[in-house]
């Protein structure tokens, strides 16, 4: 490095300004770290983030109506849905043209089942009409022929649904997920007895809160004991926490299935001790009780570990100081120790809550019908009812809830401080 | 809490012992369900509860027949093979990508670090059912749904956050001057990485790999949606077994899996101790 005097620019040995050389080195370092991260980042973006984005997109996507019936959709634009009159001949002619193509490509049944989610009966309408289209007179008039094929074509409601879902994007799935529907008078809640999703979201929240609270009640004493004991014995007891943590989820779920059944170990034991009679065996599985017990057991280590790591840092001198100043055991704990353990409670509780609201396997196996979560409904719509749009909308809502909670978690613990094992 | 002082009042004495009893009960709750399946898996009957012979410790009440079924039944063997085919490949992918990225992330100047971190950790945060749904939709668009590689890619994506977290945690205690020393002695970055950095962070890499392995080996939701019958893994087979035709073979499988987790736990504990010992030697 050359000599410096006041007012002179610092330079490196080869004569470049030092500032520029440093900036260049920094830039190279940044590029190098990015180059190391890039493979994984691209990998995760392609295999994980893209699917999630695709799901978000699918929850509003509705191209199927316009793709299958392009001419009808165009013709329907001029029709006034409030008019209470069935569209005119031009629309029916367009429908004939579209359906003829769709039947050829066997796409009309898919459209039918898509629209059936919005109004039941449309699926059979499309199937029935699809069979008749080939026999229709190409010269028209089409309106009579369609009405002849199925009376539903003469109902304004059918056309309203068709028009309402003709845009490329729809909020229909989200309305459905909120138990709402679009009627002639705007957006309204569905009738009381059809509101299943809000009920399920409510139950998922309620059960997750119950599970979180019971994890806290069971986890706090354990973490307290582990943090207070000398390292040798606490390490030994830690194994009792870590073994369940490392055991397969399905192993633990099957264990609970074995224990909680009516002919299972717990009931047998209670009958043997004479606490209950053989006829009044407890029903503890395939209901909410089963879900709560099994999930509390499964998620308990996730509560104990963060609590323990916080309690480990609380110095015992504070409690001793409080006692020497005249506090009794309870006051010393409640006023001095407990407030210091609150960050651990926050971290553990949010973690358990995040994990539990998205749980699928355990509720599916031990929850019966009253103990299932919103995720079970999502799975049902993916694999059984094939209403993927609704599954995507429900998934999006759940994802938003988890993201909000995660921001809270990040504020409490910090994303960099996540520890394992 | 550690020890009861000699001057403790009767009330304190009572509380001291009742607190221990409460903790004992909670530990019992934690461990009992896992231990109870071990003896039940040797049941000679097809029941899920203890028979009279078992309680009387009569040898006739015990048998290996459920284990025998597991090792001879083609369904279970196929599931085992599939699990063994999928998990190691997913682990390898997750560990190699994850370790390199963790080395990059632990450099002192990483632009957009919080955003990158959020993306890389996201597979661990997003509920499995949502990941499964998204992957199912997306992978069926690109023709990966129902294929071996689809499941492997999905499982490695799910495993990477664990590798990132464990490896960055070990790198926190890594002395950077060692890299500079190695460079000044003429080693290129690749040699430095394998000869200097890798031996020191290997405990973190191995425990990350174990996490990634168990994530894939234990995963059922994603494979349930993404896989076809040809990718039926052990957890999947257990899941269908528990849901439909409940057979005690599941308990034999479960006991074997408990044995595997005990092995994993021991290995991890040994690694942790080694890492702590090593870190005690290096300054900072």
């Amino acid at each position: 490095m050359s000599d410096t005097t006041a007012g002179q620019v610092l330079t490196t040995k080869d004569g470049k300004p030092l500032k520029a050389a440093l900036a260049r080195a920094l830039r190279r370092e940044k590029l190098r770290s990015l180059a190391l991260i890039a493979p994984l980042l691209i990998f995760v973006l392609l295999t994980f983030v893209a699917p999630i984005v695709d799901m978000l997109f699918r929850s509003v996507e509705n191209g199927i109506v316009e793709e299958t019936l392009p001419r009808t959709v165009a013709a329907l634009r001029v029709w006034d849905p409030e008019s209470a009159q069935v569209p005119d001949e031009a629309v029916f002619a367009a429908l004939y043209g579209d359906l003829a193509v769709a039947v050829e490509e066997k796409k009309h049944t898919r459209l039918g089942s898509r629209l059936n989610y919005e109004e039941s009966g449309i699926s059979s309408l499309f199937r029935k009409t699809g069979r008749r289209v080939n026999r229709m007179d190409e010269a028209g008039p089409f309106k009579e022929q369609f009405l002849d094929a199925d009376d539903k074509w003469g109902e304004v409601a059918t056309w309203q649904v068709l028009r309402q879902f003709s845009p490329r994007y729809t909020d229909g799935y989200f309305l459905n997920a909120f138990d709402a529907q679009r009627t002639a008078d705007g957006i309204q809640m569905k009738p009381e007895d059809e509101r299943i999703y809000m009920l399920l979201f409510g139950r998922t929240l309620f059960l997750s809160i119950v599970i979180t609270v019971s994890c806290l009640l069971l986890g706090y004493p354990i973490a307290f004991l582990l943090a207070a004991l000398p390292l040798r014995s606490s390490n030994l007891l830690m194994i009792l926490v870590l073994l369940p943590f490392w055991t397969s989820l399905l192993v633990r779920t099957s264990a609970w299935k074995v224990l909680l059944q009516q002919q299972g170990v717990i009931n047998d034991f209670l009958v043997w001790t004479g606490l209950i009679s053989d006829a009044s065996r407890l029903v503890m599985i395939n209901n909410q009780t089963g879900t709560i017990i099994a999930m509390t057991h499964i998620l308990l280590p996730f509560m104990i570990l963060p609590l323990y790591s916080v309690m480990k840092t609380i110095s015992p001198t504070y409690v001793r100081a409080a006692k020497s100043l005249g506090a009794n055991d309870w006051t010393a704990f409640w006023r001095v120790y407990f407030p210091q353990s609150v960050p651990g409670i926050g971290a553990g509780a949010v973690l358990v809550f995040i994990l539990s609201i998205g749980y699928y396997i355990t509720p599916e196996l031990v929850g019966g019908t009253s103990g299932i979560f919103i995720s079970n409904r999502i799975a049902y719509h993916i694999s059984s009812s094939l209403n993927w749009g609704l599954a995507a909308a429900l998934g999006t809502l759940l994802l938003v809830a988890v993201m909000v909670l995660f921001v809270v978690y990040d504020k409490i613990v910090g994303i960099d401080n996540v520890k394992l094992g | 809490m550690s020890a009861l002082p000699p001057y403790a009042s009767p009330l304190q004495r009572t509380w001291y012992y009742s607190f221990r009893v409460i903790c004992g009960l909670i530990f019992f709750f934690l461990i009992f369900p896992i231990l109870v399946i071990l003896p039940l898996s040797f049941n000679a009957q097809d029941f899920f509860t203890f028979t009279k012979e078992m309680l009387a410790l009569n040898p006739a009440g015990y048998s290996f027949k459920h284990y025998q079924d597991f090792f001879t039944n083609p369904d279970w063997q196929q599931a085992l093979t599939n699990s063994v085919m999928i998990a190691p490949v997913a682990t390898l992918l997750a560990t190699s990508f994850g370790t390199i990225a963790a080395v990059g992330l632990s450099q002192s100047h990483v632009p957009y670090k919080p955003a990158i971190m959020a993306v890389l950790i996201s597979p661990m945060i997003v509920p499995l059912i949502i990941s499964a749904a998204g992957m199912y939709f997306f992978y069926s668009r690109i023709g990966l749904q129902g294929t071996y590689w689809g499941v492997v890619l999905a499982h490695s994506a799910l495993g990477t956050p664990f590798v990132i977290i464990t490896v960055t945690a070990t790198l926190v205690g890594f002395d950077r001057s060692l890299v500079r020393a190695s460079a000044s002695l003429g080693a290129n970055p690749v040699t430095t990485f394998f000869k200097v950095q890798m031996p020191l962070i290997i405990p973190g890499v191995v425990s990350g790999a174990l996490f990634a392995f168990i994530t894939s080996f234990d995963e059922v939701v994603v494979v349930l949606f993404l896989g076809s019958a040809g990718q039926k893994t052990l957890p999947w087979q257990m899941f269908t077994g528990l849901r439909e035709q409940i057979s005690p073979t599941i308990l034999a499988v479960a006991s074997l899996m408990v044995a595997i987790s005990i092995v994993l736990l021991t290995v991890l504990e040994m690694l942790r101790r080694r890492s702590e010992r090593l870190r005690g030697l290096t300054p900072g």
Side-chain angles (χ1 to χ4, degrees):
Chain A
M1 213 170 282
S2 59
D3 292 340
T4 55
T5 49
Q8 213 178 342
V9 179
L10 286 171
T11 57
T12 55
K13 200 155 191 186
D14 50 357
K16 284 179 193 145
L18 182 61
K19 238 182 194 166
L22 281 175
R24 211 169 127 240
L26 183 66
R27 206 162 50 236
R28 276 178 57 187
E29 199 184 330
K30 279 186 179 173
L31 276 179
R32 200 175 57 216
S33 62
L34 278 187
L36 287 170
I37 301 169
L40 179 65
L41 194 62
I42 294 169
F43 181 75
V44 171
L45 283 176
L46 283 180
T47 57
F48 186 80
V49 179
I52 299 288
V53 173
D54 181 43
M55 184 195 76
L56 300 182
F57 178 67
R58 207 180 267 271
S59 66
V60 291
E61 184 198 25
N62 187 46
I64 185 166
V65 181
E66 205 183 325
E67 276 160 27
T68 325
L69 308 172
R71 274 159 283 186
T72 317
V73 167
L76 264 179
R77 288 216 180 94
V78 292
W79 175 65
D80 176 18
E82 313 289 318
S83 66
Q85 275 182 5
V86 177
D88 55 16
E89 178 65 19
V91 175
F92 279 97
L95 180 66
Y96 172 76
D98 286 334
L99 267 182
V101 178
V103 169
E104 191 97 345
E105 294 169 357
K106 297 194 164 60
K107 274 157 69 181
H108 63 296
T109 45
R110 265 180 55 213
L111 176 64
S113 31
R114 160 68 188 93
L115 287 175
N116 207 52
Y117 302 139
E118 314 299 338
E119 170 118 359
S120 52
I122 293 201
S123 178
S124 64
L125 170 68
F126 270 87
R127 244 179 291 129
K128 205 165 155 193
T129 319
R131 283 196 294 271
R132 292 278 294 265
V133 157
N134 289 333
R135 283 182 278 131
M136 282 185 186
D137 184 1
E138 279 181 45
F142 295 108
K143 191 166 179 175
E144 277 90 83
Q145 296 191 65
F146 270 101
L147 286 181
D148 188 41
D150 197 310
D151 292 342
K152 248 179 133 41
W153 290 116
E155 287 170 21
V156 183
T158 312
W159 290 100
Q160 278 172 343
V161 169
L162 209 56
R163 185 181 149 111
Q164 195 189 329
F165 291 94
S166 58
R168 288 215 140 252
Y169 299 99
T170 175
D171 54 5
Y173 294 123
F174 276 100
L175 286 179
N176 227 327
F178 279 115
D179 285 333
Q181 58 188 1
R182 200 184 287 277
T183 60
D185 316 320
I187 298 169
Q188 277 181 344
M189 290 305 280
K190 283 188 181 169
E192 204 74 50
D193 52 331
E194 284 176 29
R195 296 183 191 168
I196 48 171
Y197 298 114
M198 282 298 116
L199 178 82
L200 265 178
F201 270 115
R203 184 199 288 160
T204 306
L205 283 184
F206 169 72
L207 285 182
S208 301
I209 290 172
V210 173
I211 290 161
T212 309
V213 170
S214 34
C215 276
L216 182 61
L217 290 179
L218 296 180
Y220 198 92
I222 294 294
F224 183 82
L225 183 78
L226 287 176
L229 284 175
L231 208 58
R232 188 170 288 273
S233 34
S234 78
N235 268 349
L236 216 62
L237 284 176
M238 200 52 155
I239 294 175
L240 298 184
V241 179
L242 288 178
L243 185 61
F245 181 75
W246 276 99
T247 307
S248 163
L249 168 71
L250 277 160
V251 171
R252 287 182 279 167
T253 309
S254 39
W256 281 110
K257 209 151 175 151
V258 168
L259 286 174
L260 296 177
Q261 281 183 63
Q262 282 201 284
Q263 303 300 324
V265 175
I266 292 180
N267 265 316
D268 277 357
F269 178 75
L270 290 176
V271 170
W272 178 72
T273 52
L275 281 173
I276 56 171
S277 71
D278 200 21
S280 60
R281 282 167 177 266
L282 302 174
V283 184
M284 293 180 291
I285 204 163
N286 295 335
N287 56 20
Q288 295 193 0
T289 324
T291 306
I292 291 173
I293 296 178
M295 282 186 59
T296 302
H297 176 254
I298 287 165
L299 296 176
L300 192 50
F302 292 96
M303 179 64 90
I304 295 177
L305 295 174
L307 267 177
Y308 170 73
S309 65
V310 167
M311 285 178 179
K312 202 73 200 148
T313 62
I314 301 176
S315 164
T317 46
Y318 294 128
V319 172
R320 260 183 259 143
K323 281 187 188 164
S324 78
L325 290 169
N328 62 23
D329 287 351
W330 171 249
T331 319
F333 168 75
W334 185 245
R335 301 280 299 275
V336 176
Y337 191 90
F338 183 77
Q340 297 185 78
S341 69
V342 167
I345 297 181
V350 177
L351 187 62
V352 169
F353 194 77
I354 289 182
L355 288 171
S356 76
I357 60 170
Y359 241 66
Y360 166 65
I361 294 297
T362 309
E364 180 77 20
L365 289 175
V366 299
T369 48
S370 70
I372 60 163
F373 282 15
I374 193 72
S375 26
N376 303 81
R377 200 69 195 171
I378 297 177
Y380 165 79
H381 280 308
I382 296 173
S383 52
S384 303
S385 84
L386 302 182
N387 189 351
W388 290 5
L390 183 55
L394 291 170
T396 307
L397 290 180
L398 184 60
L399 185 63
V400 170
V402 170
M403 284 301 152
V404 169
L405 282 167
F406 185 70
V407 172
V408 175
Y409 182 79
D410 192 29
K411 284 263 176 318
I412 299 176
V413 199
I415 196 169
D416 294 341
N417 294 335
V418 186
K419 284 206 186 68
L420 297 165
Chain B
M1 195 66 231
S2 44
L4 201 58
Y7 50 81
S9 67
L11 188 69
Q12 278 174 325
R13 232 167 254 280
T14 328
W15 170 242
Y16 179 84
Y17 288 112
S18 46
F19 182 74
R20 302 240 151 170
V21 170
I22 294 171
C23 285
L25 286 175
I26 301 172
F27 277 125
F28 180 74
F29 171 73
L30 266 171
I31 210 76
F32 178 68
I34 293 169
L35 295 185
V36 79
I37 53 177
L38 300 179
L40 277 180
S41 68
F42 293 103
N43 198 337
Q45 305 290 322
D46 285 346
F47 294 141
F48 276 106
T49 188
F50 291 97
T51 54
K52 281 201 181 66
E53 292 82 19
M54 292 182 88
L55 291 174
L57 292 179
N58 182 348
Y62 295 86
S63 85
F64 282 102
K65 72 174 205 179
H66 303 310
Y67 288 88
Q68 221 160 34
D69 184 38
F70 171 67
F71 284 110
T72 52
N73 187 326
D75 281 353
W76 283 105
Q77 284 307 298
Q78 186 59 45
L80 180 65
T81 319
N82 284 335
S83 278
V84 172
M85 297 273 283
I86 290 169
V89 181
T91 310
L92 189 71
L93 277 177
T95 317
S96 33
F97 280 132
T99 309
I100 297 173
V103 171
L105 277 169
S106 63
Q107 314 261 329
S108 34
H109 304 283
V110 184
Y112 314 112
K113 193 175 176 187
I116 291 177
M117 203 65 183
V119 170
L120 295 185
I121 298 291
S122 61
M124 197 175 83
I125 310 300
V126 175
L128 274 175
I129 186 73
I130 296 178
S131 316
M135 285 170 165
Y136 178 68
F137 298 147
F138 186 73
Y139 285 22
S140 34
R141 271 190 218 266
I142 57 176
L144 273 176
Q145 197 267 333
T147 63
Y148 170 77
W149 282 106
V151 178
V152 167
L153 289 179
H155 277 184
S156 23
L158 293 177
T160 47
F162 299 102
V163 181
I164 294 277
I165 288 173
T166 49
V167 178
T168 35
T170 359
L171 279 170
V172 168
F174 179 75
D175 188 358
R176 298 230 127 249
S177 52
L178 291 174
V179 174
R180 265 175 255 138
S182 138
S184 78
L185 290 169
N188 64 26
V190 177
T191 317
T192 309
F193 177 73
F194 281 108
K195 294 268 174 187
V196 178
Q197 209 161 8
M198 197 61 176
L200 285 169
I201 61 170
I202 198 81
V205 177
V206 174
S207 59
L210 285 180
F211 268 103
F213 181 81
I214 204 83
T215 309
S216 168
F217 197 72
D218 205 17
E219 205 290 319
V220 53
V221 187
V222 168
V223 76
L224 209 56
F225 287 105
L226 271 190
S228 59
Q231 285 85 44
K232 201 165 204 176
T233 58
L234 217 46
W236 184 353
Q237 180 72 23
M238 286 182 83
F239 179 73
T240 29
L242 280 172
R243 199 160 62 166
E244 284 141 25
Q245 25 96 31
I246 186 152
S247 110
T249 309
I250 288 173
L251 295 184
V253 183
S255 308
L256 291 174
M257 287 175 92
V258 171
I260 294 178
S261 13
I262 292 176
V263 172
L264 275 180
L265 185 62
T266 325
V267 174
L268 268 182
E269 182 63 22
M270 274 156 53
L271 283 172
R272 197 181 60 80
R273 295 213 173 143
R274 185 188 128 92
S275 160
E276 270 175 13
R277 223 179 33 242
L278 280 179
R279 226 182 282 183
L281 292 174
T282 49

